[in-house]
């Protein structure tokens, strides 16, 4: 059955995540395992940008790392270009890593401090079997593509600013010619002015190279700028997913409304006039989630059914390009 999260095109999605669960074992005897990702499903189409948003600790980064198999999924499946990659051996997965790459949150900690940037960028090509000469030539081309000076290719990461180091990370991700890039909060560690430069760079690269992005972030203003669709996560589950315009204009889940109410508005009068929603308490521990809807302890709309029955993602209004997991969603205007 076609859902609101699926594209209208007949072609299958580039990335299809189905009932994905990632569980970490208990750290101490007698404690419960942590279900960081709890049965989520979504698609990313060719050339699309899907934003994955939520509070810190909701499972966004774990989702991204599981998709590229830096973490192993517990249950569920991840299909890339119609092929299930969630159970492939590392040897079988290696050729596919050309097309599936990741950009990390902290640019400096994700780069080897003992290697030059030319070697860092060319490493994925060397692993894939390219010669050292060809790999270095490609590294210099990529440095120019992302706005770096090729003459700086023999410098080390500590000699670059945060924004420049993130450009190195992006160049490394592009080295093998990927079709899908998982960007794990790629601008959150950067100054605001540098954030705009990196966002502009990623948008330009998407247009020129036809990339698809899974853009993981907690800054909803950045997500609004770069994404086509938005998926909102809370405690390991997706609670709302849909077209960016619908989610931002008329959020259906109380959690989405609270997140959007915290985004500053550039108009001081509008900022003073709007309703600010303050959530009570902290998110529950994923090792001991509450029964029913996991958001109900912090939700002003919670009723008895919310405390006993977990809602499932469903289309709120017939024909609407948005799904919400809530027993009492906001009515669409």
């Amino acid at each position: 059955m076609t859902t609101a999260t699926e594209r209208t095109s007949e072609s299958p999605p580039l990335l299809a995540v189905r009932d994905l669960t990632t569980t970490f074992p208990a750290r101490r005897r007698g404690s419960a395992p942590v279900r960081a990702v709890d049965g989520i499903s979504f698609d990313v189409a060719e050339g699309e940008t899907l934003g994955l948003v939520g509070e810190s600790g909701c499972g966004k980064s774990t989702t991204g790392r599981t998709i590229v198999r830096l973490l192993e999924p517990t249950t569920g499946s991840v299909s890339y270009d119609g092929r299930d990659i969630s159970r492939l051996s590392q040897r079988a997965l290696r050729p596919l890593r050309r097309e599936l790459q990741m950009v990390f949150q902290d640019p400096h900690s994700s780069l080897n401090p003992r290697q030059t940037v030319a070697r860092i960028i060319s490493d994925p090509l060397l692993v894939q079997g390219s010669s050292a000469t060809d790999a270095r030539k490609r590294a210099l081309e990529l440095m120019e593509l992302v706005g770096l000076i090729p003459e700086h290719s023999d410098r080390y990461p500590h000699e670059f600013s945060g924004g420049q180091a993130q450009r190195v990370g992006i160049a490394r991700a592009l080295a093998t010619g990927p079709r899908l890039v998982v960007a794990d909060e790629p601008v959150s560690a950067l100054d605001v002015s540098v954030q705009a430069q990196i966002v502009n760079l990623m948008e330009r690269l998407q247009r020129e190279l036809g990339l698809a992005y899974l853009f993981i972030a907690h800054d909803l203003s950045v997500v609004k700028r770069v994404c086509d669709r938005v998926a909102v996560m809370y405690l390991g589950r997706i609670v709302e997913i849909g077209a960016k315009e619908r989610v931002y204009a008329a959020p259906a889940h109380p959690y989405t409304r609270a997140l959007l109410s915290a985004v500053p508005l550039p108009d001081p009068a509008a900022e003073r006039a709007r309703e600010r929603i303050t959530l009570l308490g902290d998110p529950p521990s994923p090792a001991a989630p509450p029964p029913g809807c996991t958001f109900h302890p912090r939700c002003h709309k919670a009723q008895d059914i919310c405390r006993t029955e977990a809602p499932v993602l469903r289309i709120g209004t017939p024909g609407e390009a948005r799904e919400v997991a809530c027993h009492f969603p906001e009515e669409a205007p």
Side-chain angles (χ1 to χ4, degrees):
M1 181 179 69
T2 302
T3 69
T5 60
E6 293 175 333
R7 308 287 282 186
T8 56
S9 171
E10 295 292 333
S11 60
L14 182 62
L15 177 72
V17 177
R18 296 290 179 267
D19 301 319
L20 183 66
T21 299
T22 306
T23 303
F24 297 110
R27 293 185 176 182
R28 298 185 300 274
R29 181 178 299 179
S31 61
V34 176
R35 199 163 185 168
V37 180
D38 193 5
I40 66 173
S41 300
F42 60 85
D43 295 339
V44 180
E46 192 95 36
E48 181 189 32
T49 301
L50 174 67
L52 192 60
V53 303
E55 292 172 290
S56 296
C58 70
K60 307 185 302 295
S61 295
T62 301
T63 298
R65 289 169 180 265
T66 303
I67 287 171
V68 299
R69 291 285 303 279
L70 294 179
L71 296 173
E72 294 299 320
T74 305
T75 61
S77 66
V78 177
S79 296
Y80 172 77
D81 201 18
R83 182 181 181 184
D84 187 353
I85 65 172
S86 54
R87 298 293 180 266
L88 291 180
S89 67
Q90 289 299 320
R91 182 175 182 179
L93 188 63
R94 178 174 292 181
L96 291 176
R97 290 199 182 279
R98 285 181 173 272
E99 302 185 14
L100 185 62
Q101 289 291 321
M102 188 165 187
V103 176
F104 297 92
Q105 176 178 359
D106 187 340
H108 280 109
S109 67
S110 66
L111 304 177
N112 189 333
R114 299 184 179 183
Q115 291 184 346
T116 64
V117 296
R119 178 56 190 266
I120 289 171
I121 296 171
S122 62
D123 254 354
L125 293 168
L126 297 173
V127 170
Q128 295 290 341
S130 296
S131 68
T133 301
D134 290 343
R136 181 175 176 84
K137 180 181 178 181
R138 178 60 175 157
L140 298 181
E141 293 173 352
L142 287 166
M143 288 186 68
E144 191 168 5
L145 179 66
V146 300
L148 295 172
I149 302 175
E151 287 76 12
H152 293 169
S153 59
D154 291 322
R155 292 186 177 184
Y156 290 85
H158 74 271
E159 300 179 76
F160 291 85
S161 67
Q164 291 173 324
Q166 192 61 288
R167 290 174 188 265
V168 174
I170 293 172
R172 176 179 59 185
L174 298 178
T176 56
R179 296 165 64 191
L180 174 68
V181 174
V182 176
D184 183 12
E185 304 207 32
V187 299
S188 65
L190 307 177
D191 293 338
V192 174
S193 60
V194 181
Q195 287 183 12
Q197 297 172 18
I198 297 300
V199 167
N200 291 337
L201 170 64
M202 296 183 69
E203 288 182 319
R204 176 173 64 82
L205 293 172
Q206 184 174 42
R207 290 192 303 269
E208 295 177 358
L209 305 177
L211 298 171
Y213 289 132
L214 176 62
F215 195 92
I216 299 169
H218 64 265
D219 188 335
L220 280 87
S221 58
V222 173
V223 170
K224 185 178 183 180
R225 161 76 183 275
V226 303
C227 297
D228 302 303
R229 293 186 302 126
V230 180
V232 182
M233 282 190 74
Y234 183 79
L235 211 66
R237 300 177 184 177
I238 291 179
V239 298
E240 185 167 356
I241 182 170
K244 171 184 66 178
E245 294 78 10
R246 293 298 297 150
V247 172
Y248 276 76
H253 196 283
Y255 179 62
T256 309
R257 289 191 64 214
L259 289 180
L260 290 174
S261 77
V263 178
L265 297 178
D267 183 355
E271 176 70 23
R272 288 191 298 268
R274 72 170 176 169
E275 177 189 9
R276 178 66 186 271
I277 300 173
T278 302
L279 297 178
L280 302 175
D282 296 320
S285 168
C293 174
T294 54
F295 186 62
H296 84 257
R298 308 174 74 192
C299 182
H300 68 283
K301 300 181 68 175
Q303 299 186 27
D304 290 342
I305 189 174
C306 304
R307 300 176 179 88
T308 58
E309 184 178 329
V312 296
L313 274 174
R314 63 182 184 273
I315 298 175
T317 302
E320 186 181 20
R322 187 245 303 272
E323 292 175 275
V324 59
C326 182
H327 294 298
F328 305 101
E330 297 292 330
E331 297 294 334

